[in-house]
């Protein structure tokens, strides 16, 4: 699952990165957003949305995106 | 960029999620790993690898994956 700060919500980690990169010599960087990447194996992928709502994301300030791939054997 | 704990490196956030989910009634979850998702606009995508090495990831304990997409106009 990918969890991102909602647009319009303060993203202090993103701002910190955006300020730090030019100081390291990287210019031309904008719109930095820092979120979370959560990877897991689950028996029932229909649980994933509820997991995000209840634990993995804060739906007030974050949005999430669920990506699934078939089980690797 | 996707930043993940290297396999074999302790992932306390992943372990915490793995323990919390069954307590919320979600069973059948395994191999939870929590990493970071960093999104940004950059003029020169060849800078991205150096950005990861120098700031965005800790190469000692994390691995990173760079995904690019063309600029949206």
């Amino acid at each position: 699952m990918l969890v991102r700060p909602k647009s319009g919500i303060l993203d202090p980690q993103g701002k910190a990165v955006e300020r730090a990169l030019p100081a390291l010599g990287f210019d031309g960087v904008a719109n930095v957003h820092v979120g979370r990447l959560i990877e897991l194996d689950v028996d029932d992928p229909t649980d994933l949305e509820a997991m995000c709502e209840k634990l993995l994301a804060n739906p007030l300030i974050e949005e999430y995106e669920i990506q699934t791939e078939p089980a690797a054997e």
Side-chain angles (χ1 to χ4, degrees), chain A residues 4-33:
Chain A
R4 303 178 169 88
K6 281 186 181 175
S7 72
I9 297 282
L10 200 64
D11 175 8
Q13 285 188 87
K15 285 291 165 208
V17 169
E18 202 164 319
R19 282 179 202 170
L21 285 172
L24 292 171
F26 299 109
D27 294 313
V29 176
N31 297 320
V32 183
H33 297 289

Side-chain angles (χ1 to χ4, degrees), chain A residues 4-70:
Chain A
R4 303 178 169 88
K6 281 186 181 175
S7 72
I9 297 282
L10 200 64
D11 175 8
Q13 285 188 87
K15 285 291 165 208
V17 169
E18 202 164 319
R19 282 179 202 170
L21 285 172
L24 292 171
F26 299 109
D27 294 313
V29 176
N31 297 320
V32 183
H33 297 289
V34 177
R36 290 194 302 287
L37 163 74
I38 302 151
E39 296 178 312
L40 49 77
D41 296 339
V42 63
D43 290 342
D44 180 1
T46 62
D47 280 345
L48 289 172
E49 186 167 348
M51 289 180 192
C52 284
E53 292 282 342
K54 290 191 185 175
L55 179 70
L56 302 176
N58 178 342
L60 291 176
I61 59 169
E62 293 172 330
E63 60 185 21
Y64 55 86
E65 175 183 339
I66 296 172
Q67 299 179 345
T68 56
E69 53 189 54

